Amino acid sequence: MRTLEDLDKVMSAPSPALIQFMQELEGDIMLLGVGGKMGPSLARLAMNAIRAAGVDKKVYGVSRFSEAGLQEELQSFGVETIACDLLNDEALQALPDVPNVIYMAGTKFGTTGKEHFTWVMNAYLPGRVAEKFSKSRIVVFSTGNVYPFTPVTYGGAHEAISPAPIGEYGQSCLGRERMFEHYSHKNGTPVLIYRLNYAIDLRYGVLLEIAKSLKEGRAIDLSMGHFNCIWQGDANEIAIRSLLATQSPANFLNVTGPETVSVKYAAQQLGQRLGIEPIFKGQESETALLSNAAKSMQLFGYPRVSLLQMLDWVAEWIEHGGSMINKPTHFQEREGKF
């Protein structure tokens, strides 16, 4: 893949399972926070699945739409967009009621120095949204940052491990989860907490960051020596299909790939493809921020895109000057400061 058209085509191609899912799902879908990194591709995937299923279903995309052209782009492939600041309670209450909600709003980067805004977005707003959509199914995007570091030999934190987030970003995300969990108990709202860790798009993500370091001749830090990742197209499909895995009390689901990936291994593999010998610094820690996604794979199957395929695609993308989104994951961060 070398162009945005190639990327969009692959990212938004629905699987037979997703097409069948759309035939079974009752009602329209609303994506709250559609303007983020994953929102546009998720919206497009949902629209393609609806068309392939031959069903009459709307996809609403809600965002402030601060990025020029995004609202028009979403409208061009059939999404009904609504410009809305979710922190404006009057605007929030005016949103149409829909049976299916995927909640993607939140903030991560710039947390340090703006902790007050982080908490209002990640912990206060979710309570307002949970009350507004108390009669809907809600899939709530969260993060593996709610977990403690685990030994790299452990296989990652599973859903039964008690959260112990490091830093205010992770703590505020746990606040988001607790708000939706509370209103799921109170109102019987079916909820699934979707703990993602990390999605890979060719324009951003852990693998791209490692590849950029290689191309620029920078040493690759091994202090966070292991990570998980999943192709964003697979992560998007799981998010949509998770609407029928919502329940009350809330269900919890880790979403990532099956491997515990070594940073050194990923750098060496990318280096082979790019003809560059990696330079490393630091020592691999015995612990890392890792998630075990066995439950997700039992429900939805293994990801369609493998780790080696992602490595091939990322190397080709960066070698041919593919466009990038300047939103680094900061996967190396061990102090929880974003």
Side-chain angles (χ1 to χ4, degrees), residues 137-338:
R137 305 179 191 94
I138 309 177
V139 171
V140 179
F141 267 59
S142 188
T143 170
N145 285 86
V146 300
Y147 288 122
F149 291 168
T150 55
V152 297
T153 57
Y154 187 80
H158 52 80
E159 290 86 351
I161 286 183
S162 295
I166 298 169
E168 291 207 41
Y169 166 67
Q171 292 164 7
S172 70
C173 291
L174 181 58
R176 174 200 295 142
E177 293 189 3
R178 295 302 191 216
M179 291 301 101
F180 278 104
E181 190 178 8
H182 168 73
Y183 287 104
S184 179
H185 276 278
K186 177 184 175 184
N187 298 324
T189 305
V191 167
L192 180 135
I193 305 295
Y194 173 102
R195 290 172 172 167
L196 179 62
N197 182 23
Y198 292 98
I200 298 293
D201 177 332
L202 301 185
R203 296 164 297 176
Y204 75 89
V206 178
L207 298 182
L208 180 68
E209 289 168 32
I210 294 172
K212 283 176 63 180
S213 294
L214 288 168
K215 288 286 286 184
E216 295 167 7
R218 291 185 284 114
I220 295 165
D221 188 359
L222 296 178
S223 55
M224 184 75 86
H226 297 80
F227 64 93
N228 304 122
C229 64
I230 184 171
W231 177 242
Q232 184 172 299
D234 288 317
N236 284 341
E237 173 162 332
I238 292 169
I240 297 169
R241 292 174 64 191
S242 289
L243 285 163
L244 290 186
T246 56
Q247 62 187 43
S248 178
N251 195 5
F252 291 82
L253 189 71
N254 292 341
V255 179
T256 195
E259 302 93 352
T260 295
V261 186
S262 158
V263 171
K264 184 177 287 187
Y265 169 80
Q268 289 168 340
Q269 288 291 314
L270 288 166
Q272 288 175 13
R273 289 159 173 78
L274 295 169
I276 301 170
E277 188 66 30
I279 304 167
F280 298 108
K281 66 178 181 181
Q283 297 294 320
E284 292 172 313
S285 301
E286 295 181 355
T287 61
L289 183 68
L290 297 166
S291 298
N292 183 315
K295 179 179 174 182
S296 170
M297 292 168 203
Q298 182 184 36
L299 289 173
F300 304 115
Y302 280 78
R304 290 191 292 167
V305 178
S306 68
L307 174 63
L308 289 178
Q309 181 66 81
M310 287 187 275
L311 289 164
D312 287 343
W313 282 343
V314 167
E316 185 176 18
W317 188 262
I318 199 167
E319 186 76 347
H320 291 87
S323 64
M324 301 179 195
I325 298 173
N326 187 28
K327 292 183 179 180
T329 62
H330 295 287
F331 74 94
Q332 310 95 331
E333 177 59 49
R334 296 186 66 89
E335 303 298 326
K337 295 179 180 178
F338 299 101

Side-chain angles (χ1 to χ4, degrees), residues 44-66:
R44 188 165 190 155
L45 176 64
M47 288 302 308
N48 285 344
I50 288 166
R51 292 187 179 114
V55 295
D56 183 17
K57 202 184 303 290
K58 294 179 181 177
V59 174
Y60 294 95
V62 180
S63 171
R64 288 190 298 265
F65 291 112
S66 55

